[in-house]
Coordinates of all heavy atoms in Angstrom, one line a residue:
Chain C
S39 N 7.1 19.5 -11.2 CA 6.3 19.9 -10.0 C 5.5 18.8 -9.5 O 5.4 17.7 -10.2 CB 5.3 21.1 -10.5 OG 4.3 20.5 -11.4
Q40 N 4.8 18.9 -8.4 CA 3.9 17.7 -7.8 C 2.8 17.6 -8.8 O 2.5 16.4 -9.0 CB 3.5 18.3 -6.5 CG 4.4 18.2 -5.4 CD 3.9 18.6 -4.0 OE1 2.6 18.9 -3.9 NE2 4.6 18.5 -3.0
E41 N 2.3 18.6 -9.3 CA 1.3 18.4 -10.3 C 1.7 17.7 -11.6 O 1.0 16.7 -12.1 CB 0.7 19.8 -10.8 CG -0.3 20.4 -9.8 CD -0.5 21.8 -10.2 OE1 0.4 22.6 -10.3 OE2 -1.7 22.3 -10.3
A42 N 2.8 18.0 -12.1 CA 3.4 17.3 -13.2 C 3.7 15.8 -12.9 O 3.3 14.9 -13.7 CB 4.7 17.9 -13.7
L43 N 4.2 15.5 -11.8 CA 4.5 14.2 -11.5 C 3.1 13.4 -11.3 O 2.8 12.3 -11.7 CB 5.2 14.1 -10.2 CG 5.4 12.6 -9.6 CD1 6.2 11.7 -10.6 CD2 6.2 12.7 -8.2
A44 N 2.2 14.0 -10.6 CA 0.9 13.5 -10.5 C 0.2 13.0 -11.9 O -0.3 12.0 -12.0 CB -0.1 14.4 -9.8
H45 N 0.4 13.9 -12.7 CA -0.1 13.7 -14.1 C 0.5 12.5 -14.7 O -0.1 11.7 -15.2 CB 0.1 15.0 -14.9 CG -0.5 14.8 -16.4 ND1 -1.8 14.8 -16.6 CD2 0.1 14.6 -17.5 CE1 -1.9 14.5 -17.9 NE2 -0.8 14.4 -18.5
R46 N 1.9 12.5 -14.5 CA 2.7 11.4 -15.3 C 2.3 10.0 -14.6 O 2.4 9.0 -15.2 CB 4.1 11.6 -15.1 CG 4.7 12.7 -16.1 CD 6.1 13.2 -15.5 NE 7.1 12.2 -15.9 CZ 8.0 12.2 -16.7 NH1 8.3 13.2 -17.4 NH2 8.9 11.1 -16.8
A47 N 1.9 10.1 -13.3 CA 1.7 8.8 -12.6 C 0.3 8.5 -12.5 O -0.2 7.5 -12.0 CB 2.2 9.0 -11.2
S48 N -0.6 9.3 -13.2 CA -2.0 9.2 -13.1 C -2.6 9.1 -11.7 O -3.5 8.4 -11.4 CB -2.5 7.9 -13.8 OG -2.0 7.9 -15.1
L49 N -2.0 10.1 -11.0 CA -2.5 10.2 -9.5 C -2.9 11.7 -9.3 O -2.6 12.5 -10.1 CB -1.3 9.8 -8.5 CG -1.0 8.4 -8.6 CD1 0.3 8.0 -7.7 CD2 -2.2 7.5 -8.1
H50 N -3.5 12.0 -8.2 CA -4.0 13.3 -7.8 C -2.9 14.2 -7.3 O -2.1 13.6 -6.6 CB -5.2 13.2 -6.9 CG -6.0 14.4 -6.9 ND1 -5.8 15.4 -6.2 CD2 -7.1 14.8 -7.8 CE1 -6.7 16.5 -6.4 NE2 -7.5 16.0 -7.4
R51 N -2.9 15.4 -7.6 CA -1.8 16.3 -7.2 C -1.8 16.4 -5.6 O -0.6 16.4 -5.2 CB -2.1 17.7 -7.8 CG -3.2 18.5 -7.1 CD -3.3 19.9 -7.5 NE -4.5 20.5 -7.1 CZ -4.6 21.1 -5.9 NH1 -3.5 21.1 -5.1 NH2 -5.8 21.6 -5.6
T52 N -2.9 16.4 -5.0 CA -2.8 16.4 -3.5 C -2.2 15.3 -2.8 O -1.5 15.3 -1.8 CB -4.1 16.8 -3.0 OG1 -5.0 15.7 -3.2 CG2 -4.7 18.1 -3.4
Y53 N -2.5 14.1 -3.6 CA -2.0 12.9 -3.1 C -0.4 12.8 -3.2 O 0.2 12.3 -2.1 CB -2.6 11.6 -3.9 CG -2.2 10.3 -3.4 CD1 -2.6 10.0 -2.1 CD2 -1.6 9.3 -4.3 CE1 -2.3 8.7 -1.7 CE2 -1.4 8.0 -3.8 CZ -1.8 7.8 -2.5 OH -1.5 6.5 -2.1
I54 N 0.2 13.3 -4.2 CA 1.7 13.3 -4.2 C 2.3 14.1 -3.1 O 3.2 13.7 -2.5 CB 2.1 13.9 -5.6 CG1 1.6 13.2 -6.7 CG2 3.6 14.1 -5.7 CD1 2.2 11.8 -6.9
G55 N 1.6 15.2 -2.9 CA 2.0 16.2 -1.7 C 1.9 15.3 -0.3 O 2.8 15.3 0.5
M56 N 0.8 14.6 -0.2 CA 0.7 13.8 1.0 C 1.7 12.8 1.2 O 2.2 12.4 2.3 CB -0.7 13.1 1.0 CG -1.8 14.1 1.3 SD -3.4 13.3 1.0 CE -4.5 14.2 2.1
I57 N 2.1 12.0 0.0 CA 3.0 11.1 0.1 C 4.5 11.7 0.5 O 5.2 11.2 1.3 CB 3.2 10.4 -1.3 CG1 1.9 9.6 -1.5 CG2 4.5 9.6 -1.3 CD1 1.8 9.1 -2.8
E58 N 4.9 12.8 -0.1 CA 6.0 13.5 0.3 C 6.1 13.9 1.7 O 7.2 13.9 2.2 CB 6.2 14.7 -0.7 CG 6.6 14.3 -2.2 CD 7.1 15.5 -3.1 OE1 7.2 16.6 -2.5 OE2 7.2 15.2 -4.2
R59 N 5.0 14.2 2.2 CA 4.9 14.5 3.7 C 4.7 13.3 4.5 O 4.4 13.4 5.7 CB 3.9 15.6 4.0 CG 4.2 16.9 3.2 CD 3.3 18.0 3.7 NE 1.9 17.8 3.5 CZ 1.2 18.0 2.4 NH1 1.7 18.5 1.4 NH2 -0.1 17.6 2.4
A60 N 4.7 12.1 4.0 CA 4.5 10.9 4.6 C 3.2 10.8 5.5 O 3.1 10.2 6.5 CB 5.7 10.6 5.6
E61 N 2.1 11.4 4.8 CA 0.9 11.4 5.5 C 0.0 10.2 5.1 O -1.0 10.0 5.6 CB 0.1 12.6 5.2 CG 0.8 13.9 5.9 CD 0.2 15.2 5.5 OE1 -0.8 15.2 4.8 OE2 0.8 16.3 5.9
K62 N 0.5 9.5 4.0 CA -0.4 8.4 3.6 C 0.5 7.1 3.4 O 1.7 7.2 3.0 CB -0.9 8.8 2.2 CG -2.0 9.8 2.3 CD -3.3 9.1 2.9 CE -4.4 10.1 2.9 NZ -5.7 9.7 3.5
N63 N -0.1 5.9 3.7 CA 0.5 4.7 3.6 C 0.3 4.2 2.2 O -0.8 3.5 2.0 CB 0.0 3.8 4.7 CG 0.6 2.4 4.6 OD1 1.6 2.2 4.0 ND2 -0.1 1.5 5.4
I64 N 1.1 4.4 1.3 CA 0.9 4.1 -0.1 C 0.9 2.7 -0.4 O 1.5 1.9 0.2 CB 2.0 4.8 -0.9 CG1 1.7 4.7 -2.4 CG2 3.4 4.1 -0.6 CD1 2.7 5.6 -3.2
T65 N 0.1 2.3 -1.5 CA 0.0 0.8 -1.8 C 1.0 0.6 -3.0 O 1.5 1.4 -3.6 CB -1.4 0.5 -2.4 OG1 -1.7 1.3 -3.4 CG2 -2.4 0.7 -1.3
L66 N 1.2 -0.8 -3.1 CA 2.2 -1.3 -4.0 C 2.0 -0.8 -5.5 O 2.9 -0.5 -6.2 CB 2.4 -2.8 -4.0 CG 3.5 -3.4 -4.7 CD1 4.9 -2.8 -4.4 CD2 3.5 -4.9 -4.3
L67 N 0.8 -0.9 -5.9 CA 0.5 -0.3 -7.3 C 0.8 1.0 -7.6 O 1.3 1.4 -8.6 CB -1.0 -0.6 -7.5 CG -1.4 -1.8 -8.4 CD1 -0.5 -2.9 -8.6 CD2 -2.8 -2.3 -7.9
N68 N 0.6 1.9 -6.5 CA 1.0 3.3 -6.7 C 2.5 3.5 -6.5 O 3.0 4.4 -7.0 CB 0.2 4.3 -5.7 CG -1.4 4.2 -6.2 OD1 -1.6 4.0 -7.5 ND2 -2.1 4.7 -5.4
I69 N 3.0 2.7 -5.7 CA 4.5 2.8 -5.5 C 5.1 2.5 -7.0 O 6.0 3.3 -7.4 CB 5.1 1.7 -4.6 CG1 4.6 2.0 -3.2 CG2 6.6 1.6 -4.7 CD1 5.0 1.0 -2.2
E70 N 4.7 1.7 -7.7 CA 5.1 1.3 -9.0 C 4.9 2.4 -10.0 O 5.8 2.8 -10.8 CB 4.5 0.0 -9.6 CG 5.3 -0.5 -10.7 CD 4.5 -1.7 -11.4 OE1 3.3 -1.8 -11.3 OE2 5.3 -2.5 -12.0
K71 N 3.6 2.9 -9.9 CA 3.3 4.1 -10.7 C 4.3 5.3 -10.6 O 4.7 5.9 -11.6 CB 1.8 4.7 -10.4 CG 0.7 3.8 -11.1 CD -0.6 4.6 -10.7 CE -1.7 3.8 -11.2 NZ -3.0 4.4 -10.8
I72 N 4.6 5.5 -9.4 CA 5.4 6.7 -9.1 C 6.9 6.4 -9.6 O 7.6 7.2 -10.2 CB 5.4 7.0 -7.6 CG1 4.0 7.6 -7.3 CG2 6.4 8.1 -7.3 CD1 3.9 7.8 -5.8
A73 N 7.3 5.2 -9.3 CA 8.7 4.7 -9.8 C 8.8 4.8 -11.2 O 9.7 5.4 -11.7 CB 8.9 3.3 -9.3
N74 N 7.8 4.5 -11.9 CA 7.8 4.6 -13.4 C 7.7 6.0 -13.8 O 8.5 6.4 -14.7 CB 6.6 3.8 -14.0 CG 6.7 2.4 -14.0 OD1 7.9 1.9 -14.0 ND2 5.7 1.6 -13.9
A75 N 6.9 6.9 -13.2 CA 6.8 8.2 -13.6 C 8.2 8.9 -13.3 O 8.6 9.9 -14.1 CB 5.7 9.0 -12.8
L76 N 8.9 8.5 -12.3 CA 10.2 9.1 -12.0 C 11.3 8.5 -12.7 O 12.5 9.0 -12.6 CB 10.4 9.0 -10.4 CG 10.3 10.2 -9.4 CD1 9.4 11.3 -10.0 CD2 9.7 9.7 -8.1
E77 N 11.0 7.4 -13.4 CA 12.0 6.7 -14.1 C 13.1 6.1 -13.2 O 14.2 6.2 -13.5 CB 12.6 7.4 -15.3 CG 11.5 7.8 -16.2 CD 12.0 8.6 -17.5 OE1 12.5 9.7 -17.2 OE2 12.1 8.1 -18.6
V78 N 12.7 5.5 -12.1 CA 13.6 5.0 -11.1 C 13.1 3.6 -10.8 O 12.0 3.2 -11.0 CB 14.0 5.8 -9.9 CG1 14.5 7.2 -10.2 CG2 12.6 5.9 -9.1
S79 N 14.0 2.8 -10.1 CA 13.4 1.4 -9.6 C 12.8 1.6 -8.3 O 13.1 2.6 -7.6 CB 14.6 0.5 -9.7 OG 15.4 0.8 -8.5
I80 N 12.0 0.7 -8.0 CA 11.3 0.7 -6.6 C 12.3 0.6 -5.6 O 12.2 1.3 -4.5 CB 10.3 -0.4 -6.6 CG1 9.1 -0.2 -7.5 CG2 9.8 -0.7 -5.2 CD1 8.2 -1.5 -7.6
S81 N 13.4 -0.1 -5.8 CA 14.5 -0.1 -4.7 C 15.0 1.2 -4.4 O 15.3 1.5 -3.4 CB 15.6 -1.0 -5.4 OG 15.1 -2.1 -6.3
Q82 N 15.1 2.0 -5.5 CA 15.7 3.3 -5.3 C 14.7 4.2 -4.4 O 15.2 5.1 -3.7 CB 15.9 4.1 -6.6 CG 17.1 3.7 -7.4 CD 17.3 4.3 -8.7 OE1 17.9 5.3 -8.7 NE2 16.8 3.7 -9.7
L83 N 13.5 3.9 -4.3 CA 12.6 4.7 -3.6 C 12.3 4.1 -2.1 O 12.2 4.8 -1.2 CB 11.2 4.6 -4.2 CG 11.0 5.5 -5.6 CD1 9.6 5.4 -6.1 CD2 11.5 6.9 -5.4
C84 N 12.5 2.7 -2.1 CA 12.2 2.1 -0.8 C 13.4 1.8 0.0 O 13.4 1.8 1.2 CB 11.4 0.8 -1.1 SG 9.7 0.9 -1.8
D85 N 14.4 1.3 -0.7 CA 15.6 0.8 0.0 C 16.2 1.9 0.9 O 16.4 3.0 0.6 CB 16.7 0.5 -1.0 CG 17.4 -0.9 -0.5 OD1 17.0 -1.4 0.5 OD2 18.1 -1.3 -1.3
N86 N 16.3 1.4 2.2 CA 16.9 2.3 3.2 C 18.4 2.0 3.2 O 19.1 2.3 2.2 CB 16.4 1.9 4.5 CG 15.6 3.2 5.1 OD1 16.1 4.2 4.9 ND2 14.6 2.9 5.8
S87 N 18.8 1.6 4.3 CA 20.3 1.2 4.3 C 20.2 -0.1 5.0 O 21.0 -0.4 5.9 CB 21.0 2.3 5.1 OG 20.2 2.8 6.1
D88 N 19.3 -0.8 4.6 CA 19.0 -2.2 5.1 C 20.3 -3.0 5.1 O 20.9 -3.2 4.1 CB 18.0 -2.9 4.2 CG 17.8 -4.2 4.7 OD1 17.2 -4.4 5.8 OD2 18.3 -5.2 4.1
G89 N 20.8 -3.4 6.3 CA 22.0 -4.0 6.3 C 21.9 -5.4 6.6 O 21.0 -6.0 7.1

Side-chain angles (χ1 to χ4, degrees):
Chain C
S39 67
Q40 288 182 354
E41 272 169 316
L43 174 58
H45 181 71
R46 288 167 66 115
S48 303
L49 293 170
H50 201 267
R51 73 172 171 82
T52 60
Y53 188 54
I54 297 294
M56 286 170 152
I57 288 166
E58 288 188 2
R59 296 194 303 277
E61 290 172 9
K62 287 292 187 181
N63 181 17
I64 192 171
T65 59
L66 188 50
L67 252 23
N68 284 343
I69 289 172
E70 193 188 30
K71 277 189 189 175
I72 293 174
N74 284 334
L76 252 22
E77 296 179 297
V78 298
S79 69
I80 292 177
S81 325
Q82 286 176 85
L83 295 179
C84 293
D85 218 357
N86 238 323
S87 31
D88 176 74

